[in-house]
Protein backbone atom coordinates (compact mmCIF):
# COMPACT_ATOMS: atom_id res chain seq x y z
CA UNK A 1 0.00 0.00 0.00
CA UNK A 2 1.39 3.39 -1.02
CA UNK A 3 1.19 6.13 1.56
CA UNK A 4 0.94 9.75 0.44
CA UNK A 5 2.67 12.46 2.44
CA UNK A 6 0.32 15.46 2.34
CA UNK A 7 3.22 17.84 3.15
CA UNK A 8 5.04 17.03 -0.13
CA UNK A 9 3.82 18.22 -3.54
CA UNK A 10 2.33 15.45 -5.61
CA UNK A 11 2.50 14.95 -9.37
CA UNK A 12 -0.85 14.05 -10.89
CA UNK A 13 -0.67 12.39 -14.26
CA UNK A 14 -3.52 13.12 -16.70
CA UNK A 15 -5.77 10.27 -17.64
CA UNK A 16 -6.12 9.47 -21.34
CA UNK A 17 -9.09 10.96 -23.14
CA UNK A 18 -11.89 8.62 -24.11
CA UNK A 19 -15.25 8.98 -25.79
CA UNK A 20 -18.30 7.83 -23.89
CA UNK A 21 -19.26 4.21 -24.44
CA UNK A 22 -20.56 2.43 -26.24
CA UNK A 23 -22.11 0.45 -23.42
CA UNK A 24 -25.21 -0.56 -25.39
CA UNK A 25 -24.89 -4.29 -24.92
CA UNK A 26 -26.17 -4.22 -21.33
CA UNK A 27 -29.91 -3.80 -20.68
CA UNK A 28 -30.68 -1.67 -23.75
CA UNK A 29 -31.07 -4.27 -26.53
CA UNK A 30 -33.95 -6.66 -26.08
CA UNK A 31 -35.20 -9.67 -28.04
CA UNK A 32 -37.57 -8.65 -30.81
CA UNK A 33 -36.60 -4.98 -30.58
CA UNK A 34 -36.97 -4.60 -34.33
CA UNK A 35 -40.30 -6.43 -34.54
CA UNK A 36 -42.43 -3.28 -34.46
CA UNK A 37 -45.25 -4.65 -36.61
CA UNK A 38 -47.51 -7.21 -34.91
CA UNK A 39 -46.56 -10.80 -35.73
CA UNK A 40 -48.01 -12.01 -39.01
CA UNK A 41 -49.43 -8.60 -39.99
CA UNK A 42 -50.03 -8.71 -43.77
CA UNK A 43 -48.98 -5.08 -44.31
CA UNK A 44 -45.64 -5.28 -42.51
CA UNK A 45 -42.63 -3.81 -44.30
CA UNK A 46 -38.94 -4.37 -43.66
CA UNK A 47 -36.52 -1.48 -43.20
CA UNK A 48 -32.81 -2.25 -43.17
CA UNK A 49 -29.44 -0.74 -43.88
CA UNK A 50 -25.93 -0.10 -42.59
CA UNK A 51 -24.41 2.51 -40.30
CA UNK A 52 -21.07 3.88 -41.55
CA UNK A 53 -18.47 6.08 -39.87
CA UNK A 54 -16.69 9.03 -41.49
CA UNK A 55 -14.20 6.74 -43.25
CA UNK A 56 -16.96 4.61 -44.74
CA UNK A 57 -16.40 1.67 -42.39
CA UNK A 58 -19.47 -0.10 -41.01
CA UNK A 59 -20.08 0.28 -37.27
CA UNK A 60 -20.71 -3.04 -35.49
CA UNK A 61 -21.91 -1.41 -32.28
CA UNK A 62 -24.28 1.36 -33.31
CA UNK A 63 -27.74 1.51 -31.85
CA UNK A 64 -30.97 2.82 -33.42
CA UNK A 65 -34.35 3.71 -31.99
CA UNK A 66 -37.18 3.98 -34.51
CA UNK A 67 -40.69 5.24 -34.11
CA UNK A 68 -43.45 6.11 -36.51
CA UNK A 69 -47.15 6.61 -37.02
CA UNK A 70 -49.55 3.84 -37.95
CA UNK A 71 -50.87 3.48 -41.54
CA UNK A 72 -53.56 6.07 -40.79
CA UNK A 73 -50.97 8.64 -39.70
CA UNK A 74 -51.95 8.31 -36.02
CA UNK A 75 -49.40 8.05 -33.22
CA UNK A 76 -49.88 4.96 -31.10
CA UNK A 77 -50.75 5.42 -27.44
CA UNK A 78 -50.49 1.68 -26.73
CA UNK A 79 -48.01 0.26 -24.22
CA UNK A 80 -46.29 -3.02 -24.89
CA UNK A 81 -43.06 -2.37 -26.80
CA UNK A 82 -40.89 -3.68 -24.00
CA UNK A 83 -42.82 -5.49 -21.28
CA UNK A 84 -40.99 -6.68 -18.19
CA UNK A 85 -41.94 -9.10 -15.45
CA UNK A 86 -42.81 -6.92 -12.43
CA UNK A 87 -41.32 -9.46 -10.03
CA UNK A 88 -38.03 -10.38 -11.71
CA UNK A 89 -37.54 -7.48 -14.10
CA UNK A 90 -36.95 -10.01 -16.89
CA UNK A 91 -38.03 -9.26 -20.43
CA UNK A 92 -41.44 -10.72 -21.30
CA UNK A 93 -41.45 -9.70 -24.96
CA UNK A 94 -43.84 -7.57 -26.95
CA UNK A 95 -47.50 -8.31 -26.64
CA UNK A 96 -47.41 -9.25 -30.34
CA UNK A 97 -50.86 -7.84 -31.05
CA UNK A 98 -50.78 -4.06 -30.68
CA UNK A 99 -48.80 -1.71 -32.93
CA UNK A 100 -46.75 0.55 -30.69
CA UNK A 101 -44.77 2.26 -33.45
CA UNK A 102 -41.51 2.04 -31.49
CA UNK A 103 -38.49 -0.24 -31.76
CA UNK A 104 -34.84 -0.50 -30.79
CA UNK A 105 -32.18 -2.34 -32.81
CA UNK A 106 -28.43 -2.76 -32.68
CA UNK A 107 -26.18 -3.18 -35.70
CA UNK A 108 -24.60 -6.58 -36.15
CA UNK A 109 -20.90 -7.38 -36.66
CA UNK A 110 -21.16 -6.07 -40.25
CA UNK A 111 -22.84 -2.80 -39.27
CA UNK A 112 -26.24 -3.98 -40.55
CA UNK A 113 -29.59 -3.28 -38.89
CA UNK A 114 -33.12 -4.41 -39.69
CA UNK A 115 -36.65 -3.78 -38.42
CA UNK A 116 -40.19 -4.81 -39.37
CA UNK A 117 -42.88 -2.16 -39.06
CA UNK A 118 -46.04 -0.88 -40.73
CA UNK A 119 -45.77 1.72 -43.47
CA UNK A 120 -46.61 5.00 -41.73
CA UNK A 121 -49.39 7.22 -43.02
CA UNK A 122 -48.89 10.91 -43.74
CA UNK A 123 -49.32 13.34 -40.84
CA UNK A 124 -50.45 16.84 -41.67
CA UNK A 125 -48.45 18.19 -44.62
CA UNK A 126 -45.57 15.75 -44.03
CA UNK A 127 -44.87 12.82 -46.31
CA UNK A 128 -44.82 9.44 -44.51
CA UNK A 129 -41.64 8.91 -42.49
CA UNK A 130 -40.11 6.94 -39.61
CA UNK A 131 -38.13 8.90 -37.01
CA UNK A 132 -34.68 7.58 -36.09
CA UNK A 133 -32.36 8.28 -33.17
CA UNK A 134 -28.75 7.13 -33.66
CA UNK A 135 -26.30 6.22 -30.89
CA UNK A 136 -22.76 5.25 -31.85
CA UNK A 137 -19.17 5.30 -30.68
CA UNK A 138 -17.61 8.74 -30.78
CA UNK A 139 -20.98 10.48 -30.46
CA UNK A 140 -21.31 12.38 -27.22
CA UNK A 141 -24.84 13.37 -28.22
CA UNK A 142 -27.22 11.12 -30.14
CA UNK A 143 -28.35 12.13 -33.63
CA UNK A 144 -31.85 12.42 -35.07
CA UNK A 145 -32.89 11.81 -38.65
CA UNK A 146 -35.87 10.56 -40.64
CA UNK A 147 -36.51 7.74 -43.07
CA UNK A 148 -38.91 8.89 -45.77
CA UNK A 149 -40.40 6.12 -47.89
CA UNK A 150 -40.50 6.36 -51.68
CA UNK A 151 -43.64 5.89 -53.72
CA UNK A 152 -45.45 9.22 -53.51
CA UNK A 153 -43.30 11.77 -55.29
CA UNK A 154 -45.88 14.55 -54.91
CA UNK A 155 -45.95 14.10 -51.12
CA UNK A 156 -42.14 14.05 -50.94
CA UNK A 157 -41.90 17.20 -53.07
CA UNK A 158 -44.39 19.00 -50.81
CA UNK A 159 -42.94 17.86 -47.47
CA UNK A 160 -42.00 20.98 -45.44
CA UNK A 161 -38.78 19.53 -44.04
CA UNK A 162 -37.53 18.03 -47.30
CA UNK A 163 -38.16 21.35 -49.06
CA UNK A 164 -35.72 23.02 -46.64
CA UNK A 165 -32.95 20.48 -47.31
CA UNK A 166 -30.35 21.15 -50.01
CA UNK A 167 -31.57 19.17 -53.07
CA UNK A 168 -28.11 17.57 -53.38
CA UNK A 169 -28.53 16.02 -49.91
CA UNK A 170 -32.25 15.26 -49.92
CA UNK A 171 -31.75 11.65 -51.04
CA UNK A 172 -29.92 10.89 -47.77
CA UNK A 173 -33.34 11.02 -46.09
CA UNK A 174 -35.23 8.82 -48.57
CA UNK A 175 -35.03 5.01 -48.46
CA UNK A 176 -34.70 2.99 -51.63
CA UNK A 177 -36.89 -0.01 -52.41
CA UNK A 178 -35.05 -3.25 -53.09
CA UNK A 179 -36.19 -5.89 -55.59
CA UNK A 180 -37.33 -8.00 -52.66
CA UNK A 181 -39.75 -5.25 -51.58
CA UNK A 182 -37.73 -4.19 -48.54
CA UNK A 183 -36.61 -0.62 -47.95
CA UNK A 184 -32.91 0.16 -47.55
CA UNK A 185 -31.69 3.15 -45.60
CA UNK A 186 -27.97 3.57 -44.88
CA UNK A 187 -26.79 6.07 -42.27
CA UNK A 188 -23.47 7.84 -42.85
CA UNK A 189 -22.32 9.72 -39.77
CA UNK A 190 -20.02 12.10 -41.67
CA UNK A 191 -18.01 12.50 -44.83
CA UNK A 192 -19.17 11.98 -48.40
CA UNK A 193 -22.88 11.27 -48.55
CA UNK A 194 -23.38 12.24 -44.87
CA UNK A 195 -26.96 11.70 -43.75
CA UNK A 196 -28.92 14.85 -42.98
CA UNK A 197 -29.37 15.06 -39.20
CA UNK A 198 -31.98 17.16 -37.44
CA UNK A 199 -31.67 19.47 -34.48
CA UNK A 200 -34.72 19.92 -32.28
CA UNK A 201 -34.98 23.09 -30.18
Amino acid sequence: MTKIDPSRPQTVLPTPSHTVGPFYGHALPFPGGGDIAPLGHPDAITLHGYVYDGEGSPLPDAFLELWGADPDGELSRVDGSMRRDPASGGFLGRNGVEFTGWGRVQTDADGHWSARTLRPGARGRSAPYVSVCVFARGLLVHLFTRIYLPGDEAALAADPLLRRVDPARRDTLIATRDRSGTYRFDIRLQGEGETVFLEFQ
Side-chain angles (χ1 to χ4, degrees):
M1 181 173 170
T2 304
K3 293 188 178 182
I4 297 175
D5 182 352
S7 65
R8 298 179 64 187
Q10 303 294 313
T11 302
V12 179
L13 299 175
T15 58
S17 63
H18 193 311
T19 57
V20 177
F23 306 112
Y24 308 135
H26 178 71
L28 290 176
F30 60 98
D35 295 327
I36 304 168
L39 294 175
H41 197 289
D43 298 325
I45 62 169
T46 299
L47 298 171
H48 75 103
Y50 291 83
V51 179
Y52 297 103
D53 66 14
E55 295 178 346
S57 300
L59 290 179
D61 50 12
F63 200 75
L64 306 178
E65 288 189 350
L66 304 105
W67 64 102
D70 67 17
D72 295 324
E74 299 294 326
L75 296 178
S76 176
R77 304 271 192 266
V78 176
D79 292 333
S81 290
M82 193 170 81
R83 298 179 309 141
R84 293 197 178 273
D85 183 310
S88 70
F91 179 69
L92 292 174
R94 293 179 182 270
N95 67 19
V97 177
E98 303 288 343
F99 175 73
T100 64
W102 181 84
R104 183 185 285 161
V105 294
Q106 188 170 6
T107 55
D108 64 17
D110 298 318
H112 185 258
W113 65 273
S114 178
R116 282 185 331 96
T117 189
L118 299 180
R119 186 181 177 102
R123 300 188 67 228
R125 296 183 301 139
S126 296
Y129 67 88
V130 174
S131 295
V132 182
C133 184
V134 182
F135 302 83
R137 70 171 83 159
L139 295 180
L140 298 180
V141 178
H142 45 276
L143 301 172
F144 295 97
T145 190
R146 287 181 177 179
I147 303 173
Y148 284 92
L149 299 176
D152 188 340
E153 300 310 312
L156 292 171
D159 183 89
L161 186 136
L162 286 176
R163 292 179 65 166
R164 295 176 57 193
V165 174
D166 178 351
R169 298 191 62 208
R170 204 169 286 158
D171 284 347
T172 69
L173 293 174
I174 303 172
T176 57
R177 190 174 170 97
D178 294 346
R179 287 186 204 150
S180 63
T182 64
Y183 294 91
R184 180 168 174 172
F185 185 80
D186 293 338
I187 297 171
R188 298 181 188 279
L189 298 181
Q190 60 182 193
E192 186 177 348
E194 177 183 327
T195 300
V196 171
F197 295 106
L198 312 175
E199 182 175 318
F200 295 98
Q201 299 179 349

